[in-house]
Amino acid sequence: MRQPPINTIADDAIKAWKISAIIYISILWIIIVAGLVISIIFNFPLWYTVIGSLISGLLHYLFVYLLPKVRWKRWRYEVFEQEIYIQHGIIIVSRTLVPMIRVQHVDTKQGPILKKYQLASVTISTAATTHEIPALLEEDAASLRDRISALARVNEDDV
């Protein structure tokens, strides 16, 4: 069996993923608070909001504190001359080999949260799908993009 890839993504990916999770979970908390206010105004039973609060608290713990660290530990990648090896997943581990000959183009992208931590993601497009290596340092993402592009160009000449 093939060994797991050796390269990890940036440590600050955990912080970026936590901020993203907080934004999404905040929407859920706003809905819970609105439900509480409506329950109080119209004299509805409060147990709906208590159950909603418990579920929101559990989701908050999972998505803000637990999953970003586990997700970071699982994300690995490695670039060879003939292929790109990507491994990720927590419960279901996905190991993907992207042949260089199939690479159509390579991009880097950066949203506001990744930009705050000077991170960028590399997307690798093939005819069938797009693969992403998330949250690399900007310099590492740029050099990885250029390296994959150069390797894919060499393979195109071989065909």
Side-chain angles (χ1 to χ4, degrees), residues 9-18 68 72 114 117 119 134-136:
I9 57 177
D11 295 341
D12 284 339
I14 296 171
K15 295 175 189 171
W17 289 337
K18 282 184 176 183
W72 180 84
L114 292 180
Y117 293 104
L119 301 173
L136 298 172

Side-chain angles (χ1 to χ4, degrees), residues 15-17 19-20 23-24 109-121 138:
K15 295 175 189 171
W17 289 337
I19 290 172
S20 296
I23 290 169
Y24 289 116
K109 67 178 184 178
Q110 185 180 45
I113 297 171
L114 292 180
K115 192 170 189 165
K116 175 181 174 22
Y117 293 104
Q118 299 175 341
L119 301 173
S121 297
E138 286 177 333

Side-chain angles (χ1 to χ4, degrees), residues 96-140:
T96 306
L97 289 172
V98 181
M100 285 296 178
I101 198 166
R102 300 286 182 214
V103 173
Q104 291 186 336
H105 65 273
V106 184
D107 296 325
T108 54
K109 67 178 184 178
Q110 185 180 45
I113 297 171
L114 292 180
K115 192 170 189 165
K116 175 181 174 22
Y117 293 104
Q118 299 175 341
L119 301 173
S121 297
V122 176
T123 57
I124 304 154
S125 298
T126 64
T129 188
T130 300
H131 305 277
E132 182 175 324
I133 301 172
L136 298 172
L137 293 174
E138 286 177 333
E139 309 89 47
D140 294 342

Side-chain angles (χ1 to χ4, degrees), residues 4 12 25-26 29 42 46 74 94 110 118 126 138 156:
D12 284 339
I25 295 295
S26 295
W29 281 111
F42 293 106
L46 293 177
R74 296 293 189 144
S94 174
Q110 185 180 45
Q118 299 175 341
T126 64
E138 286 177 333
E156 267 184 27

